[in-house]
């Protein structure tokens, strides 16, 4: 997994852009803060993630099903 950062503001909804450098995220946070005076824009870094591995589909021929 590549390291990334996101910009989040409690009043603005969920972040949607992954920044590949902290400086890019900081610049975006500053830009947004200037557009929305009084709102706080946080620079968040990804520390971990959870992932459920999808199960494989098993195919069984009808004549192989025990009766």
């Amino acid at each position: 997994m590549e390291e990334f950062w996101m910009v989040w503001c409690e009043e603005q909804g969920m972040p949607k852009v992954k920044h590949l450098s902290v400086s890019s995220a900081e610049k975006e946070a500053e830009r947004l803060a200037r557009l929305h005076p009084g709102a706080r824009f946080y620079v968040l870094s990804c520390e971990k993630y959870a992932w459920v591995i999808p199960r494989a589909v098993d195919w069984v021929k009808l004549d192989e099903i025990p009766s």
Side-chain angles (χ1 to χ4, degrees), residues 12-23:
Q12 300 293 321
M14 299 300 293
K16 295 181 175 131
V17 177
K18 285 184 180 180
H19 296 271
L20 300 181
S21 71
V22 69
S23 63

PDB file of all heavy atoms in Angstrom, residues 12-23:
ATOM      1  N   GLN A  12     -17.817  19.576   6.041  1.00  0.00           N
ATOM      2  CA  GLN A  12     -17.820  19.455   4.580  1.00  0.00           C
ATOM      3  C   GLN A  12     -18.083  18.043   4.049  1.00  0.00           C
ATOM      4  O   GLN A  12     -18.096  17.844   2.860  1.00  0.00           O
ATOM      5  CB  GLN A  12     -16.480  19.951   4.026  1.00  0.00           C
ATOM      6  CG  GLN A  12     -16.177  21.396   4.356  1.00  0.00           C
ATOM      7  CD  GLN A  12     -17.110  22.364   3.665  1.00  0.00           C
ATOM      8  OE1 GLN A  12     -17.481  22.176   2.518  1.00  0.00           O
ATOM      9  NE2 GLN A  12     -17.499  23.414   4.373  1.00  0.00           N
ATOM     10  N   GLY A  13     -18.239  17.041   4.875  1.00  0.00           N
ATOM     11  CA  GLY A  13     -18.492  15.685   4.388  1.00  0.00           C
ATOM     12  C   GLY A  13     -17.217  14.861   4.292  1.00  0.00           C
ATOM     13  O   GLY A  13     -16.161  15.247   4.795  1.00  0.00           O
ATOM     14  N   MET A  14     -17.317  13.744   3.625  1.00  0.00           N
ATOM     15  CA  MET A  14     -16.210  12.787   3.539  1.00  0.00           C
ATOM     16  C   MET A  14     -15.148  13.234   2.533  1.00  0.00           C
ATOM     17  O   MET A  14     -15.486  13.747   1.473  1.00  0.00           O
ATOM     18  CB  MET A  14     -16.740  11.410   3.122  1.00  0.00           C
ATOM     19  CG  MET A  14     -17.744  10.823   4.098  1.00  0.00           C
ATOM     20  SD  MET A  14     -17.095  10.592   5.748  1.00  0.00           S
ATOM     21  CE  MET A  14     -15.903   9.321   5.467  1.00  0.00           C
ATOM     22  N   PRO A  15     -13.871  12.986   2.851  1.00  0.00           N
ATOM     23  CA  PRO A  15     -12.814  13.306   1.884  1.00  0.00           C
ATOM     24  C   PRO A  15     -12.874  12.349   0.698  1.00  0.00           C
ATOM     25  O   PRO A  15     -13.303  11.204   0.839  1.00  0.00           O
ATOM     26  CB  PRO A  15     -11.519  13.113   2.683  1.00  0.00           C
ATOM     27  CG  PRO A  15     -11.882  12.284   3.853  1.00  0.00           C
ATOM     28  CD  PRO A  15     -13.341  12.462   4.100  1.00  0.00           C
ATOM     29  N   LYS A  16     -12.459  12.839  -0.460  1.00  0.00           N
ATOM     30  CA  LYS A  16     -12.539  12.016  -1.675  1.00  0.00           C
ATOM     31  C   LYS A  16     -11.225  11.925  -2.430  1.00  0.00           C
ATOM     32  O   LYS A  16     -11.093  11.102  -3.322  1.00  0.00           O
ATOM     33  CB  LYS A  16     -13.614  12.579  -2.598  1.00  0.00           C
ATOM     34  CG  LYS A  16     -14.991  12.477  -1.990  1.00  0.00           C
ATOM     35  CD  LYS A  16     -16.053  13.007  -2.921  1.00  0.00           C
ATOM     36  CE  LYS A  16     -17.400  12.750  -2.297  1.00  0.00           C
ATOM     37  NZ  LYS A  16     -18.290  13.831  -2.260  1.00  0.00           N
ATOM     38  N   VAL A  17     -10.260  12.769  -2.090  1.00  0.00           N
ATOM     39  CA  VAL A  17      -9.005  12.827  -2.846  1.00  0.00           C
ATOM     40  C   VAL A  17      -7.863  12.273  -2.005  1.00  0.00           C
ATOM     41  O   VAL A  17      -7.706  12.649  -0.847  1.00  0.00           O
ATOM     42  CB  VAL A  17      -8.683  14.278  -3.268  1.00  0.00           C
ATOM     43  CG1 VAL A  17      -7.353  14.359  -3.984  1.00  0.00           C
ATOM     44  CG2 VAL A  17      -9.801  14.832  -4.142  1.00  0.00           C
ATOM     45  N   LYS A  18      -7.096  11.361  -2.593  1.00  0.00           N
ATOM     46  CA  LYS A  18      -5.875  10.860  -1.953  1.00  0.00           C
ATOM     47  C   LYS A  18      -4.711  11.706  -2.444  1.00  0.00           C
ATOM     48  O   LYS A  18      -4.485  11.805  -3.645  1.00  0.00           O
ATOM     49  CB  LYS A  18      -5.606   9.410  -2.354  1.00  0.00           C
ATOM     50  CG  LYS A  18      -6.476   8.400  -1.702  1.00  0.00           C
ATOM     51  CD  LYS A  18      -6.003   7.018  -2.139  1.00  0.00           C
ATOM     52  CE  LYS A  18      -6.802   5.925  -1.532  1.00  0.00           C
ATOM     53  NZ  LYS A  18      -6.319   4.610  -1.966  1.00  0.00           N
ATOM     54  N   HIS A  19      -3.981  12.293  -1.523  1.00  0.00           N
ATOM     55  CA  HIS A  19      -2.781  13.066  -1.857  1.00  0.00           C
ATOM     56  C   HIS A  19      -1.571  12.169  -1.644  1.00  0.00           C
ATOM     57  O   HIS A  19      -1.454  11.519  -0.602  1.00  0.00           O
ATOM     58  CB  HIS A  19      -2.689  14.316  -0.984  1.00  0.00           C
ATOM     59  CG  HIS A  19      -3.818  15.271  -1.212  1.00  0.00           C
ATOM     60  ND1 HIS A  19      -3.766  16.258  -2.175  1.00  0.00           N
ATOM     61  CD2 HIS A  19      -5.027  15.371  -0.617  1.00  0.00           C
ATOM     62  CE1 HIS A  19      -4.900  16.931  -2.149  1.00  0.00           C
ATOM     63  NE2 HIS A  19      -5.683  16.411  -1.222  1.00  0.00           N
ATOM     64  N   LEU A  20      -0.683  12.129  -2.615  1.00  0.00           N
ATOM     65  CA  LEU A  20       0.464  11.239  -2.529  1.00  0.00           C
ATOM     66  C   LEU A  20       1.636  11.853  -1.769  1.00  0.00           C
ATOM     67  O   LEU A  20       2.650  11.189  -1.560  1.00  0.00           O
ATOM     68  CB  LEU A  20       0.891  10.792  -3.926  1.00  0.00           C
ATOM     69  CG  LEU A  20      -0.184  10.032  -4.702  1.00  0.00           C
ATOM     70  CD1 LEU A  20       0.327   9.614  -6.064  1.00  0.00           C
ATOM     71  CD2 LEU A  20      -0.668   8.819  -3.906  1.00  0.00           C
ATOM     72  N   SER A  21       1.492  13.107  -1.330  1.00  0.00           N
ATOM     73  CA  SER A  21       2.513  13.727  -0.483  1.00  0.00           C
ATOM     74  C   SER A  21       1.827  14.583   0.571  1.00  0.00           C
ATOM     75  O   SER A  21       0.727  15.096   0.356  1.00  0.00           O
ATOM     76  CB  SER A  21       3.472  14.593  -1.310  1.00  0.00           C
ATOM     77  OG  SER A  21       2.817  15.759  -1.763  1.00  0.00           O
ATOM     78  N   VAL A  22       2.478  14.720   1.701  1.00  0.00           N
ATOM     79  CA  VAL A  22       1.917  15.532   2.774  1.00  0.00           C
ATOM     80  C   VAL A  22       1.858  16.994   2.345  1.00  0.00           C
ATOM     81  O   VAL A  22       0.913  17.710   2.694  1.00  0.00           O
ATOM     82  CB  VAL A  22       2.687  15.333   4.098  1.00  0.00           C
ATOM     83  CG1 VAL A  22       4.081  15.915   4.037  1.00  0.00           C
ATOM     84  CG2 VAL A  22       1.913  15.927   5.264  1.00  0.00           C
ATOM     85  N   SER A  23       2.832  17.438   1.561  1.00  0.00           N
ATOM     86  CA  SER A  23       2.816  18.844   1.137  1.00  0.00           C
ATOM     87  C   SER A  23       1.626  19.136   0.220  1.00  0.00           C
ATOM     88  O   SER A  23       1.033  20.211   0.301  1.00  0.00           O
ATOM     89  CB  SER A  23       4.134  19.231   0.452  1.00  0.00           C
ATOM     90  OG  SER A  23       4.328  18.499  -0.721  1.00  0.00           O
TER      91      SER A  23
END
